Amino acid sequence: MLVFSGLTTLVTFVLIPITFAAKGPVTNLAIVNRIIAPDGFQRSAVLADGKFPGPLIQGNKGDRFQIKVSNRLRDDSMERSTSVHWHGIFQNGTNYNDGTGFVTQCPIVPGNSYQYDFKIPNQAGTFWYHSHVSTQYCDGLRGPLVVYDPQDPHADLYDIDDESTVITLADWYHIPSPLVTPPFISNSALINGLGRYPQGPSSPLSVVHVKPGKRYRFRLVAMSCDSYFTFSIDGHNMTIIEADGVNTQPLLVDSIRIFAGQRYSFVLDTTNKTGNFWIRAEQHAGGDGGPTGFANGINSAILRYTDSPNMDPTTLQTKSVIPLEETNLHPLENPGAPGLPYVGGADVVLNLKLGTKSTSVLKYTMNGAVFIPPSVPVLLQILSGARKAKDLLPKGSVYTLPPNKVIEVSIPAHGAIGGPHPFHLHGHAFDVVRSAGSTTYNYANPVRRDTVNVGGNQAGLGADNVTIRFVTDNTGPWFLHCHIDWHLAAGLAVVFAEDVDNTSLKDPVTPAWNELCPAYNNFTSASQPYSREYDTTCAD
């Protein structure tokens, strides 16, 4: 029995197998509470269409996406207002539909709906969607989004690319996110929505079916809210062809280290193979981490060839000899960072030092400021007449940027415990001219992506100065934040407000968007939604 908003409701346990039935660019998403047990442990969750992960949303380059999100949440043990962010989609001209709570919109309240309406004219690749209110996506609101390119320049490298070749990785917690306390250690890793936890039952694992003699384009999505993973498939190499929605020159690897928010496409050649093979996604400390190893099938799924027996693999893991190194990734099209080829060779140069601040709980800072979600979204502040950084809330966390300029951002991560920290920039892909763990600057053909590990204070993972560059060609306020959701909740974020003077002209909002804040304010004044100061104390 669970209590939802004072009502006693009998809940039937449902085990939801993941099939990734695809939904088109015009669709509905119902955000609901449901009891699920993806690793054998039952808990209430926040889900898109009642599934974990949520359904695959797909379309083609150039499509218009119209996705109506309806909030039907009733479980007061978790956040009940919601929003959906379309991670990696630039939202050029539709900043207000970026789905970022308290930056570009007020959340959608229970009983209400909102239609996200945006075009994707110049992007293709692997993306995902997730809640962007508090730590709600840790409770389950996350799913894959794929934009196919009918003119894909890599098309001759693979034979199969469909809903069966999407692989999602997620950390999973057995209690609601508002009740998780530090250290934020997950109970299990889920691959395509299924997994096991230590000392738990031998619950079903995901099975990825392949045929011999084919080349598959797999789309790997890290949906974790904390952990990062080392991904591999026993007995197989992988050829990476995409990073975060950007085509790359093909790169052969045998393991992929992937951080929260990142995505890769890789080609798997099944020539001369048969049998069952372990798919491995070992969790590591993305601040805290989760169970390690593979005993009893934890951190695992199965790659099964046609006509192979329905049994667990007996394959053994071998030492990685050609692991993915970010500095070896290079864009296939239009390589080269904007600006001049030396440190500081940009129009605007920013240094965003990560740190911590001890109050009653530990807070994260960027240049000494803790990001605290404002009561009025940044976009609404701009539309209401605020123009200068000093006038925009939260104070110290909003940087105004001029239009059509090259921006260089350096992020020294030495002072931020709990690393490595994956940082995601909304509204842009950026060139990583200096990667974590490297002292070399590459302006000629650096990897271009939207989520990057900036290191931290963890040995071997780049406690140094990651540097990125991008051009301010997308009007509106855009979030830059750590994608470890506990760290974001503790303040590890800033907002870049681009071309503030012309935001109202280039990003005119809709009447439906204007109705979100009054509804949210009425909801919060009439109820007492869950809120708290997150204690994010982390050990080194």
Side-chain angles (χ1 to χ4, degrees):
M1 307 283 276
L2 289 180
V3 178
F4 294 115
S5 301
L7 299 177
T8 302
T9 306
L10 180 64
V11 179
T12 303
F13 162 64
V14 182
L15 176 63
I16 306 170
I18 186 68
T19 57
F20 282 127
K23 306 188 81 166
V26 179
T27 190
N28 299 318
L29 278 184
I31 310 305
V32 301
N33 297 120
R34 181 171 291 186
I35 299 287
I36 60 172
D39 61 0
F41 183 92
Q42 296 188 37
R43 62 152 291 186
S44 177
V46 177
L47 305 172
D49 281 2
K51 299 179 176 65
F52 183 82
L56 168 67
I57 296 176
Q58 66 176 8
N60 288 328
K61 183 178 181 179
D63 279 353
R64 179 180 178 184
F65 285 68
Q66 295 174 286
I67 304 165
K68 183 179 181 181
V69 173
S70 299
N71 185 344
R72 301 176 185 172
L73 297 174
R74 297 188 296 164
D75 188 342
D76 283 318
S77 72
M78 296 169 285
E79 177 66 49
R80 291 183 60 208
S81 63
T82 194
S83 72
V84 177
H85 169 56
W86 316 97
H87 184 116
I89 303 303
F90 294 160
Q91 298 289 353
N92 194 295
T94 49
N95 171 267
Y96 59 93
N97 276 332
D98 189 49
T100 314
F102 308 107
V103 176
T104 62
Q105 71 168 85
C106 282
I108 307 163
V109 301
N112 283 14
S113 61
Y114 179 74
Q115 180 170 275
Y116 292 93
D117 188 343
F118 53 89
K119 295 180 180 179
I120 306 182
N122 300 309
Q123 291 182 268
T126 309
F127 308 93
W128 63 301
Y129 60 91
H130 60 84
S131 168
H132 225 305
V133 174
S134 185
T135 54
Q136 188 181 62
Y137 94 74
C138 300
D139 290 313
L141 207 178
R142 25 186 167 163
L145 188 159
V146 174
V147 181
Y148 295 98
D149 184 356
Q151 307 298 321
D152 182 12
H154 283 313
D156 61 343
L157 298 182
Y158 57 86
D159 307 306
I160 299 170
D161 175 25
D162 56 26
E163 60 270 18
S164 73
T165 63
V166 175
I167 299 177
T168 65
L169 308 178
D171 45 10
W172 190 246
Y173 300 79
H174 287 171
I175 60 176
S177 66
L179 302 180
V180 178
T181 57
F184 300 105
I185 297 174
S186 70
N187 294 100
S188 62
L190 306 181
I191 303 177
N192 279 357
L194 295 175
R196 295 173 185 170
Y197 64 94
Q199 288 77 54
S202 295
S203 118
L205 297 176
S206 292
V207 179
V208 177
H209 294 275
V210 294
K211 298 177 181 179
K214 297 291 184 180
R215 300 168 302 167
Y216 290 81
R217 176 179 181 158
F218 283 104
R219 297 173 181 268
L220 185 67
V221 185
M223 296 182 174
S224 59
C225 62
D226 189 322
S227 300
Y228 71 95
F229 302 91
T230 297
F231 178 88
S232 63
I233 303 175
D234 287 359
H236 294 74
N237 290 336
M238 301 166 281
T239 302
I240 294 177
I241 59 172
E242 175 216 348
D244 294 0
V246 178
N247 292 322
T248 67
Q249 297 176 20
L251 178 67
L252 185 69
V253 301
D254 61 7
S255 67
I256 298 172
R257 189 167 64 197
I258 184 169
F259 295 84
Q262 292 185 330
R263 296 88 63 207
Y264 292 103
S265 281
F266 64 85
V267 176
L268 190 81
D269 191 333
T270 62
T271 303
N272 300 321
K273 297 283 187 181
T274 188
N276 293 294
F277 297 83
W278 283 119
I279 299 173
R280 303 178 188 269
E282 184 163 17
Q283 290 192 80
H284 302 278
D288 303 287
T292 59
F294 306 100
N296 190 38
I298 68 170
N299 300 325
S300 301
I302 299 169
L303 183 75
R304 177 165 294 151
Y305 280 77
T306 303
D307 298 328
S308 296
N310 185 10
M311 59 181 289
D312 282 356
T314 58
T315 56
L316 299 177
Q317 184 182 30
T318 57
K319 182 179 179 180
S320 176
V321 294
I322 44 173
L324 169 63
E325 297 290 346
E326 187 176 68
T327 52
N328 290 333
L329 288 169
H330 307 294
L332 181 70
E333 300 122 339
N334 304 314
L340 300 173
Y342 53 81
V343 176
D347 298 307
V348 178
V349 178
L350 297 174
N351 192 66
L352 300 177
K353 184 178 180 181
L354 308 189
T356 56
K357 177 186 291 186
S358 291
T359 55
S360 58
V361 294
L362 188 79
K363 292 292 185 181
Y364 282 93
T365 63
M366 297 186 73
N367 282 353
V370 177
F371 181 85
I372 301 171
S375 58
V376 177
V378 178
L379 177 57
L380 182 53
Q381 295 177 51
I382 294 170
L383 297 178
S384 300
R387 290 290 180 266
K388 298 180 180 179
K390 67 180 181 63
D391 300 322
L392 291 164
L393 299 175
K395 287 192 178 298
S397 294
V398 182
Y399 293 75
T400 56
L401 300 179
N404 302 310
K405 299 296 183 182
V406 177
I407 312 299
E408 178 177 292
V409 181
S410 295
I411 308 178
H414 299 73
I417 63 174
H421 300 279
F423 265 75
H424 171 52
L425 176 60
H426 294 214
H428 293 277
F430 46 73
D431 288 273
V432 186
V433 298
R434 178 176 169 178
S435 291
S438 173
T439 58
T440 301
Y441 289 85
N442 177 5
Y443 302 99
N445 59 357
V447 63
R448 186 174 298 134
R449 61 187 325 154
D450 59 53
T451 307
V452 66
N453 161 38
V454 304
N457 60 349
Q458 189 159 331
L461 286 166
D464 52 17
N465 194 336
V466 167
T467 304
I468 65 173
R469 283 189 181 176
F470 65 98
V471 175
T472 50
D473 55 4
N474 199 3
T475 299
W478 303 107
F479 221 10
L480 172 70
H481 64 91
C482 180
H483 226 291
I484 296 174
D485 228 24
W486 318 112
H487 297 178
L488 171 56
L492 200 50
V494 295
V495 175
F496 290 149
E498 294 183 34
D499 194 10
V500 170
D501 290 338
N502 291 306
T503 294
S504 61
L505 297 175
K506 295 182 179 179
D507 269 325
V509 299
T510 62
W513 184 90
N514 276 318
E515 295 171 3
L516 289 171
C517 286
Y520 180 76
N521 293 333
N522 289 336
F523 172 70
T524 55
S525 63
S527 61
Q528 294 183 347
Y530 187 88
S531 65
R532 61 171 280 196
E533 290 287 309
Y534 284 89
D535 180 351
T536 56
T537 304
C538 299
D540 286 2

